[in-house]
Amino acid sequence: MVDTNLLPDNISLEKFRQLLDRYDSFIESISSSKEVKPGQKTLLELDRFRYHDAVSLFHPGDSKRPMTLDDVKTLVDWKLRHGKFRPTLMKLVSENDEEPVKFMIEEAVKRYRADSNAPKALGIIAKLRGIGPATGSLLLSVHEPKDVIFFSDEAFNWLCHDGQNSSIKYTAKEYEELNAAAQALAKRLGVDVVDIEKVAYVLMKEEPSETKPTNGKTAATPDVKPAQAGSSKKRKSKISGDSTDTTLLRRSKRGKAT
């Protein structure tokens, strides 16, 4: 459970920045603790693509090219390694054809840039196979990192559930709740929502002792320890999803879109 001083309504800009500064070293710690198969990218490499390379490629006003299916698969790989592993998601996403992927994402980005309505834009991306509000928000976020928050478990639980783990359905309605909370915090502190996402990850993933304030200040963390993040044990998992693809939900034991 997150200390009350670090909840969204209470966190100060100073503490927010201290937590944000810990993100990179925390990801390095998690990445170094995970085994990778030959030819597989490390979590750290995927993280750099998600927060640096992809943003540079698809930055608003300076997009280098349309997002391709390979780009989407790389971001999905990051999502699965950065958060909960969902065994069938990559297979579902890989079944999309290249041209519809480019078209739907471009249309969603155009829609967002026309009216700044992220939930409506996600409705377009969600027409792709295996793409629900969570993955769709990730694809939109790399195009609009300052304003569109990725629907991660950590961000939702910190911003919408007082830092406590909850049962998330990954619905459009939940994303609207998350988006509103992220916008409110971004406005209060004067920060980008992509940084809110990182701070939420640190707060929800680190051991409690790492983020507990001491005498009103955030405790120093010379040796950051990921909480269960480095475990290589296999565990049962399923794809939780939204109601945008009811045909997929009815037909498949393989999983649901997120």
Side-chain angles (χ1 to χ4, degrees), residues 81-246:
R81 306 264 293 281
H82 189 261
K84 290 181 180 178
F85 181 71
R86 305 180 186 281
T88 63
L89 181 58
M90 183 64 82
K91 184 176 186 301
L92 292 172
V93 170
S94 299
E95 291 173 357
N96 287 290
D97 292 327
E98 184 73 59
E99 290 309 311
V101 166
K102 290 181 180 178
F103 177 77
M104 292 297 184
I105 294 174
E106 284 186 313
E107 287 299 302
V109 172
K110 287 179 184 177
R111 169 65 67 85
Y112 177 79
R113 290 175 179 170
D115 59 15
S116 299
N117 190 317
K120 283 186 179 179
L122 293 184
I124 298 174
I125 302 179
K127 295 176 183 178
L128 296 170
R129 187 168 178 79
I131 306 295
T135 305
S137 67
L138 172 60
L139 305 182
L140 190 58
S141 176
V142 298
H143 289 84
E144 299 287 340
K146 291 185 177 181
D147 300 306
V148 177
I149 192 163
F150 163 49
F151 190 170
S152 69
D153 290 12
E154 295 77 24
F156 186 78
N157 287 328
W158 182 50
L159 290 168
C160 303
H161 281 273
D162 293 328
Q164 300 185 55
N165 291 327
S166 63
S167 178
I168 307 174
K169 305 298 183 183
Y170 305 98
T171 64
K173 183 177 180 180
E174 287 176 328
Y175 184 74
E176 290 178 6
E177 181 184 1
L178 171 63
N179 182 58
Q183 297 302 325
L185 180 58
K187 183 177 181 180
R188 181 172 75 81
L189 296 183
V191 297
D192 295 340
V193 296
V194 69
D195 292 334
I196 292 175
E197 177 190 324
K198 291 180 177 181
V199 167
Y201 191 81
V202 173
L203 278 169
M204 298 302 296
K205 287 286 190 180
E206 277 188 346
E207 295 286 358
S209 61
E210 301 293 343
T211 55
K212 185 177 181 180
T214 303
N215 296 327
K217 296 183 179 180
T218 304
T221 55
D223 297 307
V224 180
K225 299 178 182 179
Q228 304 299 325
S231 174
S232 60
K233 293 181 180 179
K234 295 182 179 179
R235 56 184 180 272
K236 294 181 180 180
S237 176
K238 65 180 180 179
I239 304 294
S240 297
D242 63 273
S243 59
T244 57
D245 191 350
T246 54

Side-chain angles (χ1 to χ4, degrees), residues 12-26:
S12 67
L13 181 58
E14 179 185 6
K15 290 178 180 176
F16 183 94
R17 287 174 172 167
Q18 288 172 347
L19 289 162
L20 180 61
D21 287 344
R22 294 219 292 272
Y23 178 83
D24 288 343
S25 61
F26 186 48

